[in-house]
Amino acid sequence: MEINTLQKQLTDLYRTTMDYEFRKSTYDKRMEALKKTYTGLLDETARACDASDEDLESLAACIPEYVAGELASETSKRKRDIKSLDHKMNMVSYFVPLMGGMPSEKAPEITGRMVEIWNEKMPKYKIALSTYEGIRDGFTKGMFCYITTAVCRSLDKPDDCYELTALRQYRDEYLLSFESGKSLVEEYYNIAPTIVKRINRQKNAGEVYRGIWDRYLSPCIRLIEEDKKEECREVYSQMVRKLEKEYLYSAL
């Protein structure tokens, strides 16, 4: 198969996975279905990468180049930042792990190169290398923080801002230290990616994120600073329940 045909098919596959919701209850089934449906494409990609380093480089670059073009065409900085979250999530949760499962010894090389090219082309929206096994483990470790990140991005706050750092530290050092806290975190990371996608489809997404900040996240940070950890957990729980009801179950 010609390289340009493979590039087009890989881009079509990427666009298909952009519509997938990322939930613990469906992730394994989604990935297994993708592997089965796209066995031929994965085999062809593996053969091309094994045959030529030049082809490997071209195939590794096609998705980063596609996404960079999509983001560059968005004139609104806020919308561009929000769209980047969907692309980053799709890349690390579905596309890179899928490519990493190709029947080739060079699979780690092509996925590693994809991530390198992505980060070179979009240094503001960097991603890390991910695997299918790592994603599954991440559901129980709470590795993702989509709602708080989306809110902070909408307010022009960087990923390493004080607020996000404080919330992550609270999650890791307090919530994950007891069973009910672990359950809350696991539930949050099961539903958060879907909620963010549905908020992003709203015309007033910026206002929604500002409301989440004012009503939940800012009070949480203040309570953390005051060492009122249980009070913060209550506000955190209210946020999960409210967003779950409004953006998850109401859309079913």
Side-chain angles (χ1 to χ4, degrees):
M1 188 181 296
E2 296 291 332
I3 290 301
N4 60 347
T5 302
L6 275 177
Q7 288 175 319
K8 181 182 182 303
Q9 291 186 3
L10 287 174
T11 303
D12 289 342
L13 169 57
Y14 179 85
R15 284 197 291 258
T16 296
T17 55
M18 277 293 290
D19 293 330
Y20 282 13
E21 294 180 348
F22 181 50
R23 303 186 66 181
K24 179 180 179 180
S25 59
T26 57
Y27 183 67
D28 284 345
K29 291 180 181 179
R30 292 279 195 189
M31 285 296 292
E32 290 304 319
L34 284 168
K35 290 177 185 178
K36 183 177 180 179
T37 302
Y38 293 95
T39 295
L41 176 58
L42 295 175
D43 288 348
E44 287 289 341
T45 303
R47 280 193 285 270
C49 291
D50 289 340
S52 166
D53 289 341
E54 182 179 353
D55 288 347
L56 185 151
E57 182 74 9
S58 297
L59 294 171
C62 70
I63 301 304
E65 288 175 351
Y66 165 74
V67 175
E70 288 289 299
L71 295 179
S73 66
E74 178 54 68
T75 57
S76 166
K77 179 181 181 301
R78 182 187 64 79
K79 291 182 180 179
R80 184 167 60 250
D81 285 346
I82 290 173
K83 283 183 178 180
S84 75
L85 287 172
D86 283 347
H87 282 293
K88 288 172 64 176
M89 178 181 162
N90 185 50
M91 192 71 169
V92 302
S93 61
Y94 282 111
F95 196 78
V96 170
L98 190 60
M99 293 297 103
M102 291 188 307
S104 168
E105 292 183 356
K106 289 189 175 181
E109 183 178 347
I110 187 172
T111 54
R113 189 65 187 125
M114 279 182 184
V115 171
E116 289 177 357
I117 296 171
W118 178 291
N119 292 339
E120 289 166 3
K121 290 185 171 294
M122 295 167 284
K124 185 178 177 182
Y125 309 120
K126 287 185 177 181
I127 60 174
L129 187 63
S130 57
T131 64
Y132 178 41
E133 295 76 17
I135 293 295
R136 288 188 302 176
D137 290 344
F139 279 119
T140 59
K141 294 179 180 177
M143 27 181 319
F144 305 110
C145 200
Y146 287 107
I147 293 176
T148 49
T149 300
V151 171
C152 288
R153 279 279 178 82
S154 73
L155 300 175
D156 292 326
K157 295 179 183 292
D159 286 349
D160 60 352
C161 68
Y162 167 77
E163 293 87 354
L164 272 173
T165 300
L167 289 165
R168 287 166 179 155
Q169 186 174 5
Y170 170 76
R171 173 199 65 196
D172 295 340
E173 296 181 4
Y174 183 70
L175 287 180
L176 293 178
S177 67
F178 53 93
E179 285 305 315
S180 61
K182 289 178 182 178
S183 297
L184 177 62
V185 171
E186 182 173 355
E187 178 183 2
Y188 171 77
Y189 288 113
N190 191 14
I191 65 174
T194 299
I195 289 171
V196 167
K197 276 197 170 186
R198 289 178 177 170
I199 291 175
N200 288 349
R201 293 177 187 146
Q202 307 295 316
K203 292 182 179 179
N204 65 333
E207 294 177 15
V208 173
Y209 285 130
R210 168 58 74 175
I212 295 171
W213 172 262
D214 291 341
R215 185 171 181 180
Y216 301 110
L217 297 183
S218 183
C220 270
I221 292 165
R222 185 178 66 252
L223 291 168
I224 291 170
E225 292 171 337
E226 296 172 356
D227 200 29
K228 297 180 179 178
K229 295 184 175 65
E230 269 303 296
E231 290 87 341
C232 178
R233 185 170 73 90
E234 181 59 32
V235 175
Y236 193 92
S237 298
Q238 290 173 8
M239 180 187 75
V240 173
R241 300 288 174 260
K242 172 69 173 178
L243 296 178
E244 185 179 42
K245 180 178 179 181
E246 188 165 352
Y247 293 101
L248 191 62
Y249 295 135
S250 65
L252 294 177

